Amino acid sequence: MQSVINSVKGTALGVAEYLTPVLKESKFRETGVLTPEEFVAAGDHLVHHCPTWQWATGDEDRIKSYLPRNKQFLLTRHVPCTRRCKQIEYCEDQERIIEADDPEGGWVDTHHYDTSLGGIEEKVTEMTLGEAQPNQDAEAGETNEDDEDDEEAADMEAFEVSGMLDEEDKYAAEPAKKSVKEKRDSFSEGEIIRTRTYDLHITYDKYYQTPRLWLFGYNESRKPLSVEEMYEDVSQDHAKKTVTMESHPHMPGPPMASVHPCRHAEVMKKIIETVMEGGGELGVHMYLIIFLKFVQSVIPTIEYDYTQNFMLTSSG
């Protein structure tokens, strides 16, 4: 029954998205939403600091005219998932309602006080005021430069690399970083932990005017997971509610797990307010890095976040 309801909702939202005009004026700080141009700017920032993420084009027949042709959505492949969500013992004392206005229960961070995973508030408090420092990841060969709008780029600590784009991926708009492949190949076969992996995509949702996360999982033999198996890697408070199986807007193929974006703007607005109360300023270019941190409460065992800490510039 739930799948039928989700299908009806998906069809209705598809029509609503088609009729919704493209957002032109920035409302990031006021409401937590993004224009397509801001989504692209945030995506460029994510790709620059986390080379495991790449821009992709998708199917030619599904190109969105309000986005650059070669920057339709973001993707990363081979993200490890070593545990099932049921292996993380649930404790009511670790739960916190992040957004409580939703009549269906709001946004729940099920492991907010779990010190091994860290909750949204802990991740937000990692933001500190100060000058951005040079990027320390020498292997990636990246150099920090000021963004075109003269905002200082956020400092990202060195991160481990778990996978990369397939070299002949027909949807990838840019080649994978060579240094990433070299790091992956430096491990001998005996050192590789064989586990589930996920491909993650971030699209722009024109109706909700926010990013949307999509996931597709594989077993140890790189065979696609079943729907029920993928739900094993989703917090049970969100499975089949916040996370549903839907068709990808840019690619043909079987349905993918998707984190519904209906509460993303409200959660982002609260994070912006938290940062401002601490004397900081959250630039729109940081949107996707923060977005990936707060959606991890929905998929806590999929280990895609390698951004341990970052700096924000003072508003003064």
Side-chain angles (χ1 to χ4, degrees), residues 290-305:
I290 307 301
F291 167 78
L292 287 170
K293 289 184 180 295
F294 76 69
V295 296
Q296 192 146 45
S297 64
V298 180
I299 45 174
T301 60
I302 300 178
E303 303 167 12
Y304 62 82
D305 186 7

Side-chain angles (χ1 to χ4, degrees), residues 142-161:
E142 299 286 348
T143 57
N144 272 345
E145 298 178 357
D146 290 346
D147 292 337
E148 292 180 2
D149 58 358
D150 292 329
E151 266 190 286
E152 292 186 4
D155 172 54
M156 311 299 297
E157 290 186 354
F159 55 89
E160 297 179 19
V161 178

